[in-house]
Every structure is written in structure tokens, then in C-alpha cells.
Amino acid sequence: GGGGKTTLAQLVYNDEKVEEHFDFKVWVCVSEDFDVVRVTKSLLESVVRNTPSAASKVWESDNLDILRVELKKNSREKRFLFVLDDLWNDNYNDWDELVSPLIDGKPGSSVIITTRQQKVVEMAKTFPIYKLDPLSDEDCWSILSKHALGSDECDASKNTALEEIGRKIARKCGGLPLAL
């Protein structure tokens, strides 16, 4: 956690070129409590909101089959971007139930997954995979000094002790942007 996965996905999701490329975009925070009905409902609710001709109250159903049929019907022939943020579930059957209605999306449709779990990556078989490495100590110091001092550089002649302490703190953050 704190490595910047969600932040990177948000930058992509909110980019103007991405906006122009897709007919609609949907962001769903999945988290540890994965419930295929809840996630499917969230996707369907957002898709229906973006589809004027769609039925208005379909997502109130708890019947997964009905939800999946409606999601497929309303996303078919449209180019979509779905972001499934913080996915933990590595059960292939749950994953297959979630994504099977999305197969008929227009070419260029995409699903972005953020996860901390290598097993989720293997189960979802998503390509390409972007693994975020921790930041270097120098990059950590740059971020910390910018936020703590309001500038990119510490005036070494005036703040030698402050810089030394700051660099130790930056190293202790372990390369995690959120910690910085």
C-alpha cells in the first residue's frame, strides 16, 4: 500500500485523451470485501447513468444473472474504461463472472486493475502489467523537501542539519509516495 497504484490509475482515468477515447468510464473501489453482485451493480449503475435508453431501476435486483445480462446489453458496442481499484480476490470463478459480460465491448475497451496481490494479477491475466517499484532515496528526498520546505531544493549552506534529518526520514519511508 502507498506505492501510487491508485494515484497512477486516477491520472490515466482523468486524462483528456482518455476521456475522448472512450464512450464512458467507470471507477469502482473493490477492496478486500469482494462481492461480485455489488461490483456488477456498481458497474451497471454507472453504465446505465451514461446510457439514456437504458432501464432505470435494473440495478436494484440482487440476481447476478439479471445484472450481468443488463451490463452486457448496456455496454455492448461501446468503448468503455472500467477501473477496478484495490482488487484482492484471486478466485478465478468470481473474476470470470465479473468480466464475462464485458467481452462484447467495442474494440479498444479496457479494464484497469489496481492490486497489491501477485495472485490477482495471475488470475486476471491482464496485459500489460505495470509493477510500480519503490522510489529511489533521491526521489524520496526531493518529494519530502518539496512538501516540507516548499521548494525542490534545500539550501545546504543554511540547513545542513535539517537536510540530514530529512534525508534520514526520506529513507525510512521505504520509497512509498504515500508515506512521504
Side-chain angles (χ1 to χ4, degrees), residues 25 37 41 92 107 109 120 122 131 135 140 151 160 171 179:
K25 308 177 305 179
V37 171
K41 272 186 187 185
Y92 179 79
S109 294
V120 171
E122 293 164 4
K131 186 174 186 295
L135 299 173
C140 288
S151 70
T160 306
R171 280 191 296 277

Side-chain angles (χ1 to χ4, degrees), residues 12 16 19 41 50 73 100 107 118-119 135 159 169:
V12 170
E16 286 181 33
E19 185 79 39
K41 272 186 187 185
N50 289 293
K73 183 172 74 175
S100 64
Q118 183 64 33
K119 284 185 173 183
L135 299 173
N159 298 310
I169 292 170

Side-chain angles (χ1 to χ4, degrees), residues 1-14 27-30 83-87 112-116 132 178:
K5 299 174 295 295
T6 297
T7 301
L8 180 58
Q10 286 171 337
L11 289 171
V12 170
Y13 187 83
N14 293 318
W27 185 287
V28 177
C29 186
V30 181
V83 177
L84 304 175
D85 185 35
D86 202 19
L87 184 63
I112 295 175
I113 298 169
T114 66
T115 185
R116 302 177 195 187
L132 298 181
L178 186 61

Side-chain angles (χ1 to χ4, degrees), residues 13-57:
Y13 187 83
N14 293 318
D15 186 84
E16 286 181 33
K17 289 181 183 175
V18 169
E19 185 79 39
E20 295 168 5
H21 180 75
F22 295 101
D23 296 321
F24 60 85
K25 308 177 305 179
V26 178
W27 185 287
V28 177
C29 186
V30 181
S31 75
E32 288 183 67
D33 183 27
F34 180 83
D35 176 355
V36 71
V37 171
R38 180 185 65 80
V39 175
T40 303
K41 272 186 187 185
S42 294
L43 291 171
L44 179 58
E45 182 178 71
S46 295
V47 169
V48 168
R49 210 177 303 132
N50 289 293
T51 308
S53 63
S56 60
K57 301 270 183 177

Side-chain angles (χ1 to χ4, degrees), residues 24-162:
F24 60 85
K25 308 177 305 179
V26 178
W27 185 287
V28 177
C29 186
V30 181
S31 75
E32 288 183 67
D33 183 27
F34 180 83
D35 176 355
V36 71
V37 171
R38 180 185 65 80
V39 175
T40 303
K41 272 186 187 185
S42 294
L43 291 171
L44 179 58
E45 182 178 71
S46 295
V47 169
V48 168
R49 210 177 303 132
N50 289 293
T51 308
S53 63
S56 60
K57 301 270 183 177
V58 175
W59 59 87
E60 291 178 3
S61 173
D62 282 331
N63 183 316
L64 183 59
D65 290 332
I66 290 172
L67 295 170
R68 289 175 45 185
V69 166
E70 287 299 318
L71 181 58
K72 183 172 186 164
K73 183 172 74 175
N74 287 291
S75 60
R76 184 181 344 166
E77 299 304 316
K78 294 186 179 140
R79 188 176 300 135
F80 57 78
L81 171 63
F82 291 151
V83 177
L84 304 175
D85 185 35
D86 202 19
L87 184 63
W88 287 70
N89 187 322
D90 61 1
N91 180 305
Y92 179 79
N93 291 331
D94 288 344
W95 173 250
D96 189 54
E97 284 186 348
L98 179 63
V99 298
S100 64
L102 310 178
I103 302 299
D104 291 332
K106 194 173 184 179
S109 294
S110 295
V111 177
I112 295 175
I113 298 169
T114 66
T115 185
R116 302 177 195 187
Q117 306 289 327
Q118 183 64 33
K119 284 185 173 183
V120 171
V121 173
E122 293 164 4
M123 174 270 314
K125 297 180 179 136
T126 59
F127 295 99
I129 297 168
Y130 296 99
K131 186 174 186 295
L132 298 181
D133 294 322
L135 299 173
S136 69
D137 287 346
E138 199 56 41
D139 288 340
C140 288
W141 166 240
S142 175
I143 291 171
L144 183 63
S145 66
K146 182 176 183 176
H147 286 284
L149 304 172
S151 70
D152 288 332
E153 295 184 23
C154 182
D155 185 350
S157 64
K158 293 182 181 176
N159 298 310
T160 306
L162 185 59

